[in-house]
Amino acid sequence: LGAGGGGHPGHGHDGGARLAVDQLVEERTGPPDVAVTLVARAERVEIAPGVEVDAYTVNGSTPGPTVRATQGDLVEVTFVNESVPDGATLHWHGMDVPNAVDGVAGVTQDAVGLGEEFTYRFVAEDAGTYWYHSHQVSHEQVRRGLLGAVVVGPAPDAPAVAGPDVAGLLEHAVDVTAVVHQFGPHRTVAGVAGDLAVDVPAGGAARVRVVNTDDGTLPVWVTGSAFRLLAIDGTDVHAPPEVREQAVSLTAGARADLLVTVPDDGTPVRVELGGSAAVVLGPAGATAEPTRRPEATLDPLTYGEPAPLGLDPAAADRHFTYTIGRRPGFVDGRPGMQWTVNGRTFPDVPMFTVREGDVVRMTLSNASGEAHPMHLHGHHVVVLERDGVPASGSPWWVDSLDVRQGETYEVAFVADNPGVWMDHCHNLPHAAEGLVAHLMYE
Ligand code: C2O
Ligand code: CU
């Protein structure tokens, strides 16, 4: 197995556990380790007593079932479109899968029509929290719930980057997946409006995997316990310290894994999700009142301990500029405001071209007046600096990054996954309004 520091470009999912690039490119044959069938339907679902919404479901619910695998598993998903009228696909958000199974209708495959099916096969290369969603008319299909979580457990020999004390807690921690999704005025967790109660004994720990499937930023904070931010967008944070009274700002499409411990007296811990829903952890039946968002926000730029990036940003082969702006134009055939990438609007945005193995730097800046959660498919990027301030904490690897008005981020990644990849705003209506670029391998 190629170690991250051993010359293989890696995106930082830690060294020893990462599979070598040549093993990934080679097609895995034989029976899958994980095989699931996911069936998409248009149907009404009840998200609260007496509250029904028009949804797109996966196997009868939204979110659909969590796809679970262990790092290194060959995963095979048979996707069936039973009744989504416009066709649908599955995109594996945050998973660096081969391009052919990236699930982007019109780029890597055609939408799966009514009554049709499509098989996705890939190796779950990295442990972490991810999600799947349709990438056909995404702004509508994601809003209606055609989505679910993916949880990849670490390989048995994976190093514990969080440190031995955390590893000990995690061994017995209750693992909770909190897919957060807004239906109209209702914020749901795991498909139900309001709070999700999870039994955790007094003194017990929980790992809460929060997945933001909405178009806006989700602030997450913890009441009743200190917490650690274990992972961002599926990548473990190095030596995450305990913090209190800080909100984690989860951009659209992003994931955060939090480690919390229920106090010895059994007082429940609330993991607040934007203030209108929560994961409530504690002995059965215990309740706690909602709380207000703390003033401070955790800054991943300085959180955790530095560690090798596995790439040398000073020796970049390419340097791209991705400047987000706004201008009047035509949207759906009518005059309106368009978002721009370097002054152009999709599909008129030139491709960013790379060669396999390139170290790529990108300067992402935003002068458009609004925040944009930028998402690159098929790769993770590491944040080098924000507004000229260098990153000083744990390597901050992301697939979804909030670039707010006036901000400039310098990021880097290794071009180690050939294909044509979208690099777009995950406030999905913005993508429909032109905020889309592509990365293409020559
Ligand atoms: Cu989560 Cu291009 O999407
Ligand atoms: Cu945007």
Side-chain angles (χ1 to χ4, degrees):
L1 296 189
H8 277 291
H11 55 61
H13 292 256
D14 213 68
R18 189 178 160 80
L19 299 168
V21 168
D22 33 34
Q23 284 176 292
L24 303 177
V25 176
E26 196 181 310
E27 226 194 294
R28 281 266 307 270
T29 50
D33 303 295
V34 173
V36 276
T37 299
L38 298 178
V39 181
R41 295 188 191 95
E43 59 186 325
R44 285 180 74 77
V45 295
E46 194 176 47
I47 56 165
V51 181
E52 279 196 358
V53 295
D54 280 319
Y56 291 139
T57 59
V58 181
N59 295 5
S61 65
T62 174
T66 297
V67 175
R68 290 179 195 279
T70 299
Q71 195 178 15
D73 279 356
L74 178 61
V75 178
E76 185 178 289
V77 176
T78 306
F79 176 57
V80 181
N81 176 9
E82 209 172 274
S83 54
V84 178
D86 294 327
T89 63
L90 294 180
H91 165 62
W92 309 93
H93 185 118
M95 301 187 82
D96 301 340
V97 299
N99 196 236
V101 290
D102 193 40
V104 178
V107 179
T108 64
Q109 67 173 101
D110 290 331
V112 180
L114 285 175
E116 293 175 358
E117 61 177 66
F118 187 93
T119 303
Y120 297 92
R121 265 170 88 92
F122 52 84
V123 173
E125 190 190 314
D126 299 305
T129 308
Y130 307 97
W131 61 298
Y132 60 84
H133 63 78
S134 180
H135 219 298
Q136 159 76 342
V137 206
S138 324
H139 60 288
E140 188 225 346
Q141 295 193 2
V142 174
R143 181 170 45 81
R144 283 179 60 161
L146 212 171
L147 54 89
V150 181
V151 172
V152 181
D157 59 348
V161 300
D165 46 335
V166 171
L169 283 172
L170 280 176
E171 233 178 284
H172 305 285
V174 176
D175 204 300
V176 185
T177 303
V179 175
V180 181
H181 192 71
Q182 190 92 28
F183 284 100
H186 304 279
R187 177 165 280 144
T188 62
V189 192
V192 177
D195 296 352
L196 173 70
V198 179
D199 281 8
V200 179
R207 176 188 194 124
V208 183
R209 303 168 184 269
V210 184
V211 184
N212 180 8
T213 65
D214 290 311
D215 290 324
T217 300
L218 177 74
V220 179
W221 66 95
V222 177
T223 310
S225 165
F227 71 96
R228 295 177 206 251
L229 177 55
L230 286 178
I232 300 171
D233 285 1
T235 303
D236 286 348
V237 172
H238 281 259
E242 262 194 351
V243 291
R244 289 185 176 273
E245 294 296 312
Q246 292 187 27
V248 173
S249 178
L250 205 56
T251 195
R255 288 84 59 215
D257 292 20
L258 308 183
L259 177 64
V260 300
T261 304
V262 174
D264 290 331
D265 67 3
T267 308
V269 173
R270 291 181 62 90
V271 177
E272 303 278 6
L273 306 165
S276 49
V279 177
V280 183
L281 306 154
T287 57
E289 288 302 303
T291 53
R292 295 248 298 277
R293 175 185 180 163
E295 261 157 50
T297 301
L298 185 149
D299 189 353
L301 200 70
T302 55
Y303 182 74
E305 295 296 325
L309 299 183
L311 62 82
D312 181 6
D317 302 288
R318 316 263 166 164
H319 196 154
F320 298 123
T321 301
Y322 193 126
T323 302
I324 303 164
R326 193 155 210 210
R327 68 163 186 212
F330 281 84
V331 179
D332 286 338
R334 294 186 188 183
M337 293 302 281
Q338 295 174 328
W339 305 104
T340 57
V341 179
N342 299 333
R344 315 252 200 127
T345 291
F346 180 78
D348 195 28
V349 179
M351 296 232 178
F352 296 109
T353 54
V354 295
R355 286 210 176 92
E356 189 174 2
D358 281 353
V359 172
V360 183
R361 283 178 72 137
M362 195 180 267
T363 306
L364 273 160
S365 59
N366 178 1
S368 71
E370 260 186 63
H372 300 285
M374 299 307 298
H375 172 51
L376 173 62
H377 286 211
H379 304 74
H380 281 68
V381 306
V382 67
V383 174
L384 303 174
E385 45 180 79
R386 181 182 60 224
D387 298 334
V389 179
S392 58
S394 165
W396 179 15
W397 290 93
V398 292
D399 52 67
S400 309
L401 180 67
D402 230 353
V403 185
R404 286 171 294 192
Q405 160 57 26
E407 282 184 334
T408 300
Y409 277 92
E410 187 74 14
V411 302
F413 62 97
V414 178
D416 59 1
N417 198 1
V420 181
W421 302 98
M422 282 183 100
D423 188 355
H424 67 93
C425 180
H426 220 280
N427 184 340
L428 295 171
H430 290 182
E433 293 158 8
L435 194 26
V436 173
H438 288 81
L439 176 74
M440 192 173 91
Y441 284 63
E442 306 184 321

